[in-house]
Amino acid sequence: MKISARNQIRGRIVEVAKGATTAHVRIDIGGGAVITASITNGAVDELKLSQGDEAYAVVKASDVMIAVD
Amino acid sequence: MKISARNQIRGRIVEVAKGATTAHVRIDIGGGAVITASITNGAVDELKLSQGDEAYAVVKASDVMIAVD
Amino acid sequence: MKISARNQIRGRIVEVAKGATTAHVRIDIGGGAVITASITNGAVDELKLSQGDEAYAVVKASDVMIAVD
Amino acid sequence: MKISARNQIRGRIVEVAKGATTAHVRIDIGGGAVITASITNGAVDELKLSQGDEAYAVVKASDVMIAVD
Amino acid sequence: MKISARNQIRGRIVEVAKGATTAHVRIDIGGGAVITASITNGAVDELKLSQGDEAYAVVKASDVMIAVD
Amino acid sequence: MKISARNQIRGRIVEVAKGATTAHVRIDIGGGAVITASITNGAVDELKLSQGDEAYAVVKASDVMIAVD
């Protein structure tokens, strides 16, 4: 499956923390940057996400803001 | 100003393309990854964003999905 | 690629309307329902989306609201 | 109240699962498709959502992505 | 129709600016605050939004961030 | 840091409710309006958000919908 989301950044999962319904998954994308995703516990189970796996952080362009110092 | 968004990734602007109301800004975050943001033309003007500037791509954790091959 | 987004609804593209930077793509998912997506022109080109194609509307669960009459 | 969101899909609630602060509500929209919404527990209470109710899944066009096989 | 979105703030439309596919609508919510919405031109037409109208800015709680100085 | 998000509304925090992974923060923006944000527990801790603090509700324009009666 190919998806329209402009941002698909490869990395490695460094943490999977499940809550009551919502999980936080953290992906190390290199260069010292770690991306945090808040997804459903159901998605974690279905994709069998676990620490050490290669994965992509996927973000729609309209969900990205720009900041400057 | 400090913001709650979990993802604030430093990079350099490589393209600013304005449309009728919506602009696309692309930030090179290193390691071969470029992040595309879709923001208002008004925001581009107010922050005076232009090619070559240092900037951050900012994304709320609830807007990040995870994909696997 | 498998993605964490909980909602991946199959349908057929009935319209692709490009704007200056942002395109609107409409997918007929059957039962009289048509889903409108606002994505970048760049994504339309890269995925070669055109009328009549089979495609999926993909939505993260945290972007879905519920309404009642 | 009429809302600007382009996607308002009628269906029937098949599950309401509350977590600590966030609930997952699933709506059967027919044709074998079920849409999952992640909303606040507070919204579930205020709208008195429960299994079997008719309801709409509401999604802003800018939150819809397109995928192809 | 009642919607699950936690934030429904009443105000008055002070500007409607249409682009090629995407419009910007600005609502004065009082106290010197003006909220900008980026919605489809189609939604502007269907809801017949125009300057001076009373309207609500509607935002899902998961789309709100918090910032501090 | 200056951010592209068009909506940055000043107010005072009236409630911080943490869940398992996700917190709800409510900001009184005056004129009887209270904005609810759903953010990570981690963000609450890092920004040291607590009741009575001045803070901003920050929302990207593409996440705002318009409704009329």
Side-chain angles (χ1 to χ4, degrees):
Chain A
M1 182 185 272
K2 290 172 59 183
I3 192 159
S4 61
R6 293 296 76 197
N7 303 297
Q8 308 184 16
I9 307 167
R10 195 187 195 93
R12 191 171 293 276
I13 296 174
V14 291
E15 187 183 4
V16 177
K18 279 180 160 184
T21 52
T22 306
H24 292 169
V25 178
R26 287 159 52 82
I27 297 190
D28 185 333
I29 59 166
V34 176
I35 292 183
T36 301
S38 176
I39 64 175
T40 62
N41 287 346
V44 169
D45 294 341
E46 195 178 298
L47 268 61
K48 297 184 174 59
L49 302 177
S50 58
Q51 200 183 324
D53 292 354
E54 288 202 355
Y56 298 84
V58 178
V59 183
K60 197 172 187 302
S62 54
D63 288 327
V64 182
M65 292 160 285
I66 305 290
V68 292
D69 280 323
Chain B
M1 181 186 271
K2 291 171 59 184
I3 193 159
S4 61
R6 292 296 77 197
N7 302 298
Q8 307 183 17
I9 307 168
R10 194 186 196 95
R12 192 171 292 275
I13 296 174
V14 291
E15 187 184 3
V16 177
K18 279 181 160 184
T21 54
T22 307
H24 292 167
V25 178
R26 288 160 51 83
I27 297 189
D28 184 333
I29 60 166
V34 175
I35 293 184
T36 300
S38 175
I39 65 176
T40 62
N41 286 347
V44 169
D45 294 341
E46 194 179 299
L47 269 61
K48 297 184 175 61
L49 303 176
S50 58
Q51 198 182 324
D53 291 354
E54 288 202 354
Y56 298 84
V58 178
V59 183
K60 196 172 189 302
S62 54
D63 288 326
V64 182
M65 292 160 284
I66 304 291
V68 293
D69 279 323
Chain C
M1 182 185 272
K2 289 171 62 183
I3 193 159
S4 61
R6 293 296 77 198
N7 303 297
Q8 307 183 17
I9 307 167
R10 195 186 196 94
R12 191 171 293 275
I13 296 174
V14 291
E15 187 183 2
V16 178
K18 280 181 160 182
T21 52
T22 307
H24 292 169
V25 178
R26 288 160 51 82
I27 297 190
D28 184 333
I29 58 165
V34 175
I35 292 183
T36 301
S38 175
I39 65 176
T40 62
N41 286 346
V44 169
D45 293 342
E46 194 178 300
L47 269 62
K48 296 184 176 61
L49 302 177
S50 57
Q51 198 182 324
D53 291 354
E54 289 203 353
Y56 298 83
V58 178
V59 183
K60 196 172 188 304
S62 54
D63 288 326
V64 182
M65 293 160 285
I66 304 290
V68 292
D69 280 323
Chain D
M1 181 185 272
K2 290 171 60 181
I3 193 160
S4 62
R6 293 294 77 196
N7 303 298
Q8 307 182 17
I9 307 167
R10 194 185 196 97
R12 192 171 292 277
I13 296 173
V14 291
E15 187 183 3
V16 178
K18 279 180 160 183
T21 53
T22 306
H24 292 168
V25 179
R26 288 159 51 83
I27 296 191
D28 184 332
I29 58 165
V34 175
I35 292 183
T36 301
S38 176
I39 64 176
T40 61
N41 287 346
V44 169
D45 294 341
E46 194 178 298
L47 269 62
K48 298 184 174 60
L49 302 177
S50 59
Q51 198 182 326
D53 291 354
E54 289 203 354
Y56 298 84
V58 178
V59 183
K60 197 172 186 305
S62 53
D63 288 327
V64 182
M65 292 160 285
I66 304 290
V68 292
D69 280 323
Chain E
M1 183 186 270
K2 290 171 61 182
I3 193 159
S4 61
R6 294 295 77 198
N7 303 298
Q8 308 182 17
I9 307 168
R10 193 186 197 96
R12 191 171 292 276
I13 296 174
V14 290
E15 187 183 3
V16 177
K18 280 181 159 183
T21 53
T22 307
H24 292 169
V25 178
R26 287 160 51 82
I27 296 189
D28 185 333
I29 60 165
V34 175
I35 293 183
T36 301
S38 176
I39 64 176
T40 62
N41 287 346
V44 169
D45 294 341
E46 194 179 299
L47 269 61
K48 298 184 175 60
L49 302 177
S50 58
Q51 198 181 325
D53 291 355
E54 289 202 353
Y56 298 83
V58 178
V59 183
K60 197 172 187 304
S62 54
D63 288 326
V64 182
M65 292 160 285
I66 304 291
V68 293
D69 280 323
Chain F
M1 182 184 273
K2 290 171 61 183
I3 192 160
S4 61
R6 293 295 77 195
N7 303 298
Q8 308 183 18
I9 306 167
R10 195 186 194 93
R12 192 171 291 278
I13 296 174
V14 291
E15 187 182 4
V16 177
K18 279 181 160 183
T21 53
T22 307
H24 292 168
V25 178
R26 287 160 51 83
I27 296 189
D28 185 333
I29 59 165
V34 175
I35 292 183
T36 301
S38 176
I39 64 176
T40 61
N41 287 346
V44 169
D45 293 343
E46 194 179 298
L47 269 61
K48 297 183 175 61
L49 303 178
S50 58
Q51 199 183 325
D53 291 355
E54 288 202 356
Y56 298 83
V58 178
V59 183
K60 197 172 187 305
S62 54
D63 287 327
V64 182
M65 292 160 285
I66 304 290
V68 292
D69 279 323

